[in-house]
Amino acid sequence: MLGNIRFLLAFALAYLALPAVAGTHPSMAEILAAAKPTDWRPLDPDHTLYVELPAGRVIIELAPGFAPLHVANIKALARAGYYDGLPVLRVQDNYVAQWGDPDNRHPIPRGIGPLAPEFDSEIWPQMPFTPLPDGDVYASEVGFSGSFPAARSTQQHLAWLAHCYGMVGVGRDLDVRSGSGAEMYVVIGHAPRHLDRNVALVGRVMKGIELLSGLPRGSGEMGFYSATETAVRIKSIRVAADLPPAQRSGLEVIRTDTPTFAALIESRRNRHDDFFKVPAGHIDLCNVPIAVREPAPPAPQSP
């Protein structure tokens, strides 16, 4: 109880510190419209993946703080062109979209192999963490570490990422050391939090999730495509830093360590839109929106 009061007080102070916006109870749109430039941060090109599908680009922010070994493998595989042409082999309704190479037609580059699980990690010094005030069913404390939904146990001194919509995980077999990053999935349905600390989560889709969640569902067990169904193939996966600046997406994400984000959380915990007659007074970790934007390029200077 004391912890919840402390968090609520912090949110209230942050909310009051927000620059004045229209209305007594500003909406999410009003809060974002009033956000300062410093409330946003660009994605780090060295930790950003561009998944090019026939329908467009999916942008993934990687989480090396939580899964450094898997992230290193994934970047190495991308730079080797391993993912190019791989099929999205499984789309299970309300669950995941998954790509990989079940027939082992793409040789994995030398030096890249299965890894230690990285299901959780020790809480490192100065680990960013913005806690939520309303508790959680799966963990003693949840919140955001950077732009990633996360949980932690201060008693165990451990932290881990949570399976919210758009999170990216690494496929594995029964052996917890069988995942390498060669096979990945994206959560496209209701948050499967029971998978937390059982699979290595390596990042989150920041833009383009609809290109995966809108794919036809596979008719086979667990959403796998049958031999008669045509799977979408990945054109390429690249590390953003490896592309010329003109070919990169200038995506920015809202910072989660600011009064603006605290106000955003409060606006979603207690909705005062005309539609809502009974504000919930609570919010679930996976229902907190992480806003992104792509600023317009600067206008060319006249000679």
Side-chain angles (χ1 to χ4, degrees):
M1 175 64 73
L2 181 59
N4 284 353
I5 292 174
R6 184 175 70 251
F7 295 149
L8 286 170
L9 179 60
F11 280 127
L13 292 174
Y15 191 79
L16 292 173
L18 189 74
V21 295
T24 306
H25 302 287
S27 66
M28 176 179 171
E30 291 170 330
I31 291 168
L32 292 176
K36 303 184 297 293
T38 53
D39 289 329
W40 301 87
R41 65 170 178 84
L43 298 185
D44 182 346
D46 197 45
H47 299 311
T48 302
L49 291 182
Y50 294 153
V51 181
E52 304 292 354
L53 298 176
R57 173 178 286 182
V58 177
I59 300 176
I60 295 173
E61 182 178 24
L62 297 171
F66 287 89
L69 300 178
H70 284 81
V71 166
N73 259 17
I74 289 166
K75 289 165 64 175
L77 288 166
R79 284 170 169 151
Y82 172 80
Y83 300 109
D84 300 1
L86 285 188
V88 179
L89 51 92
R90 172 191 177 202
V91 182
Q92 185 173 359
D93 191 47
N94 201 31
Y95 205 50
V96 301
Q98 185 169 333
W99 60 83
D101 183 24
D103 299 323
N104 298 314
R105 295 178 179 176
H106 289 216
I108 294 179
R110 186 185 300 273
I112 297 177
L115 297 168
E118 293 190 309
F119 296 162
D120 50 30
S121 64
E122 290 191 7
I123 298 174
W124 62 89
Q126 287 79 52
M127 173 186 174
F129 194 83
T130 300
L132 295 184
D134 297 316
D136 184 69
V137 174
Y138 293 92
S140 59
E141 188 176 37
V142 294
F144 284 84
S145 184
S147 57
F148 303 110
R152 67 181 182 181
S153 167
T154 53
Q155 289 184 333
Q156 296 177 293
H157 202 64
L158 293 173
W160 56 93
L161 297 179
H163 276 80
C164 294
Y165 185 75
M167 291 297 287
V168 182
V170 169
R172 68 169 179 87
D173 295 325
L174 292 179
D175 182 354
V176 298
R177 293 178 174 267
S178 59
S180 67
E183 188 171 296
M184 290 192 284
Y185 65 88
V186 175
V187 177
I188 60 167
H190 182 72
R193 294 285 307 283
H194 57 283
L195 294 177
D196 292 1
R197 305 182 77 182
N198 286 283
V199 187
L201 287 172
V202 294
R204 185 176 195 172
V205 173
M206 305 306 290
K207 185 178 181 181
I209 184 67
E210 71 281 357
L211 302 179
L212 292 168
S213 61
L215 290 175
R217 276 39 178 166
S219 63
E221 185 178 0
M222 298 175 65
F224 281 93
Y225 289 117
S226 69
T228 61
E229 294 173 310
T230 302
V232 168
R233 290 190 175 271
I234 294 170
K235 295 172 66 176
S236 67
I237 296 182
R238 296 289 182 265
V239 179
D242 296 344
L243 298 181
Q247 296 179 23
R248 300 177 192 173
S249 299
L251 205 65
E252 294 182 340
V253 60
I254 196 75
R255 287 175 49 192
T256 58
D257 58 349
T258 63
T260 293
F261 187 68
L264 187 151
I265 291 174
E266 182 57 28
S267 76
R268 305 302 281 185
R269 290 178 73 243
N270 288 288
R271 299 287 294 270
H272 293 280
D273 316 45
D274 291 340
F275 180 84
F276 289 89
K277 306 308 177 185
V278 182
H282 295 79
I283 194 165
D284 176 79
L285 174 65
C286 293
N287 281 340
V288 176
I290 297 296
V292 297
R293 68 177 186 178
E294 196 156 7
Q301 298 292 322
S302 57

